[in-house]
Amino acid sequence: MASSTPEDSVPNLPFPISCISSGVRKYFLFDINVITWLRREHHILGVLIGTLPQFPQQNIFSGLPLELMPEEARLLVEIGIAYIVYDKEWHQEGVKTLSKEQFQAFQQDLTMKGMETAKSSQTKRMEITERALKRLDLNKSTASSMGENSEETLDTADPTNDSESLFVPSELQQAVSSPTAPVSHTKAWAITPTTAHPPLPVPPVRSEVDLPAVKASSYALFRHLHTQGYYMSPGLRFGCQYTAYPGDPLRFHSHFLAVGVDWDEKLELMNIVGGGRLGTGVKKGFLLGGPEESGNNDRREETMGIPLRDIRIRPKAANSAYSSRSS
């Protein structure tokens, strides 16, 4: 039987969703294993909002944490695989229970991980240096076998020659200009953990279920499309509430610009026309959806796509003339 890989691993369920409130509640995930598992198994995308430690002065590529839409957080809580944790209160309580010995053990663990990472990086640099030197020796032997002058060949192939350094391959120049230090003298790298547990204990599951507040019509549309297998992402850049993808956005373009409305909500005709034109301009369908209220107070989700070509506006004068002719 094949050995299990990180892709097959399932996080401990239920997992905590950090809620940080500063007027408006926002929901975050900090564990990369949970994030990848949710994307793979439950079609939850979220939005990465953190800075990459290696490239802090750019905003094209983002890192942890992952911010969830309130609809995504509510869905995960409702299906029983997550629970809400108020991050500030939990940290304050957890720090009070943390002993000095536990904190020291946590620091030692981070130092060991930093040393392992530094040794791995140093070993990789040594391998690159060895390959570069072997390539240099191969170039020398090839040039001498072709009958060239050995002194000229050595001068040309010597990467330490300042006059010829522009013509030396980059890996050869790096191998000579930055010699590798012995692994035993490697300094441990600084490791910044992305989660607070450990050293803090895992947040306890609360007895009462705390559901994130969402708009009923929007959440009904979100949940309906999610159950149909769509990947949902915020639709702000397209002027809608959600952008619906038939598969992972890394492989597919979105199909719908989705907007949630109540069943008896009045809609401006210009908004419908504008949404249809916007969808046509970006090669997507404009989708309206919301819960339908029946007589027994049950609500079921309905969606309606409106192609722009199916919208017809008949002037009142034409209507009256048509009525007089038909009579």
Side-chain angles (χ1 to χ4, degrees):
M1 185 175 65
S3 59
S4 61
T5 62
E7 295 183 355
D8 302 325
S9 62
V10 178
N12 296 327
L13 301 178
F15 56 83
I17 297 177
S18 298
C19 176
I20 300 177
S21 176
S22 58
V24 178
R25 291 185 177 181
K26 296 186 177 181
Y27 303 91
F28 300 94
L29 291 175
F30 293 85
D31 193 334
I32 186 62
N33 296 323
V34 173
I35 293 172
T36 54
W37 180 77
L38 285 177
R39 188 183 186 104
R40 184 175 65 250
E41 300 296 335
H42 292 277
H43 304 174
I44 297 297
L45 299 176
V47 179
L48 291 170
I49 64 170
T51 301
L52 295 180
Q54 296 88 344
F55 309 101
Q57 296 182 352
Q58 56 85 35
N59 58 0
I60 299 177
F61 301 101
S62 301
L64 298 177
L66 182 84
E67 183 176 358
L68 297 174
M69 292 188 293
E71 293 84 353
E72 292 174 320
R74 186 184 181 97
L75 177 66
L76 295 176
V77 174
E78 286 186 348
I79 63 180
I81 64 174
Y83 60 99
I84 303 300
V85 173
Y86 293 95
D87 202 80
K88 180 180 179 180
E89 292 79 0
W90 169 65
H91 271 84
Q92 291 176 345
E93 296 176 0
V95 170
K96 294 178 182 178
T97 61
L98 187 65
S99 64
K100 183 177 180 181
E101 291 75 15
Q102 291 175 327
F103 183 72
Q104 291 177 349
F106 177 66
Q107 284 186 321
Q108 292 176 0
D109 182 63
L110 289 181
T111 303
M112 292 179 59
K113 291 181 179 179
M115 182 61 69
E116 293 175 358
T117 305
K119 288 182 178 180
S120 176
S121 176
Q122 201 77 339
T123 302
K124 186 176 180 180
R125 289 184 58 189
M126 292 178 64
E127 293 175 354
I128 294 177
T129 301
E130 292 176 359
R131 289 198 300 266
L133 294 176
K134 288 181 180 179
R135 181 179 174 185
L136 179 60
D137 293 338
L138 180 61
N139 290 340
K140 289 181 180 180
S141 59
T142 303
S144 60
S145 63
M146 295 175 62
E148 296 182 0
N149 190 307
S150 60
E151 295 181 357
E152 295 179 358
T153 303
L154 291 175
D155 291 339
T156 304
D158 185 9
T160 61
N161 191 344
D162 295 337
S163 61
E164 301 293 338
S165 60
L166 294 176
F167 305 98
V168 178
S170 59
E171 64 176 0
L172 300 180
Q173 201 167 354
Q174 180 182 5
V176 177
S177 60
S178 57
T180 305
V183 177
S184 59
H185 295 84
T186 301
K187 184 179 179 181
W189 285 17
I191 300 296
T192 302
T194 58
T195 59
H197 49 86
L200 300 183
V202 178
V205 181
R206 304 175 63 180
S207 57
E208 66 277 6
V209 178
D210 190 2
L211 295 176
V214 293
K215 185 180 178 182
S217 59
S218 302
Y219 181 66
L221 175 62
F222 175 89
R223 187 181 178 95
H224 174 72
L225 292 177
H226 184 270
T227 56
Q228 299 300 316
Y230 285 92
Y231 288 70
M232 308 291 291
S233 70
L236 179 61
R237 63 176 178 173
F238 290 111
C240 59
Q241 287 181 309
Y242 312 110
T243 309
Y245 296 81
D248 195 296
L250 296 176
R251 300 178 57 192
F252 295 89
H253 290 287
S254 58
H255 281 190
F256 297 108
L257 306 179
V259 176
V261 294
D262 290 320
W263 187 255
D264 56 351
E265 181 178 344
K266 294 183 179 181
L267 299 176
E268 294 289 340
L269 183 59
M270 293 303 296
N271 292 340
I272 299 178
V273 174
R277 288 186 178 276
L278 176 61
T280 302
V282 294
K283 300 181 180 179
K284 308 179 194 308
F286 181 57
L287 183 67
L288 295 174
E292 178 185 7
E293 296 184 359
S294 58
N296 55 359
N297 294 328
D298 292 335
R299 296 165 68 94
R300 64 188 184 92
E301 294 81 11
E302 293 288 344
T303 56
M304 176 178 61
I306 305 180
L308 186 62
R309 62 178 179 274
D310 293 342
I311 299 178
R312 297 290 185 269
I313 302 176
R314 178 176 294 175
K316 293 182 179 180
N319 289 341
S320 60
Y322 179 78
S323 301
S324 61
R325 287 197 301 269
S326 61
S327 60

